[in-house]
Amino acid sequence: MRLNQNTLLLGKKVVLVPYTSEHVPRYHEWMKSEELQRLTASEPLTLEQEYAMQCSWQEDADSEECPPTSPSPECTFIVLDAEKWQAQPGATEESCMVGDVNLFLTDLEDLTLGEIEVMIAEPSCRGKGLGTEAVLAMLSYVTTLGLTKFEAKIGQGNEPSIRMFQKLHFEQVATSSVFQEVTLRLTVSESEHQWLLEQTSHVEEKPYRDGSAEPC
């Protein structure tokens, strides 16, 4: 079980829910996009491989329930459009999906460091602050679990994403000409933590049980 498997985060623009099998078909359709593959440095997977990846995240790392896959995030949320989710009682989560936000532990000798990534897959939902609120909610959530340093690795050509992270106080610390990406870093000092709490004071944490959390 991953750490956020039973957690829902409700914001003004987005609702973050754990990645379940219900979300896989829509996610798979997104990742057929060559643009998203380029922006996320991802390889296309078959639908069966996507289900295996979701299963490997949901189950314990040593579980025999799932086929072997590449390492999965420690914390991943599917991003829902909050307005659509709340305005349509009974709407499926799949119909409200707009992207995802993930956190990886990249240094097992330093469990206070996490790599964060966000994707707003629906073109009509970009540039509206959904990615910003999703990242803020994720940062606020995982800092309560002891993480204090974050990195984001972004393709050099993805200027909107770079600017978004810079607005969230991330600073560029490295550029890789080989991978054509920049690395931005945020260290959550006491003042940064206070700022983060202020930015996410409206976000509510609720229990989640396989899609049973109802819109408010």
Side-chain angles (χ1 to χ4, degrees), residues 103 110 112-115 146-151 185-188:
L103 183 114
D110 185 1
T112 66
L113 172 64
E115 181 179 334
L147 278 81
T148 58
K149 295 173 290 186
F150 301 94
E151 288 186 347
R185 178 173 291 182
L186 171 68
T187 299
V188 183

Side-chain angles (χ1 to χ4, degrees), residues 24-84:
V24 173
R26 181 79 173 272
Y27 189 87
H28 178 64
E29 288 301 314
W30 284 342
M31 297 315 296
K32 291 179 180 180
S33 163
E34 293 183 0
E35 178 196 18
L36 289 179
Q37 291 172 23
R38 175 177 56 81
L39 291 174
T40 60
S42 302
E43 295 292 331
L45 301 177
T46 66
L47 183 59
E48 290 73 19
Q49 289 171 324
E50 291 284 10
Y51 274 112
M53 286 292 289
Q54 185 278 326
C55 182
S56 71
W57 174 77
Q58 188 169 351
E59 301 296 334
D60 292 330
D62 59 355
S63 171
E64 296 180 358
E65 300 275 332
C66 307
T69 65
S70 57
S72 56
E74 291 299 317
C75 185
T76 191
F77 284 105
I78 291 294
V79 181
L80 309 182
D81 181 331
E83 183 179 1
K84 187 175 181 180

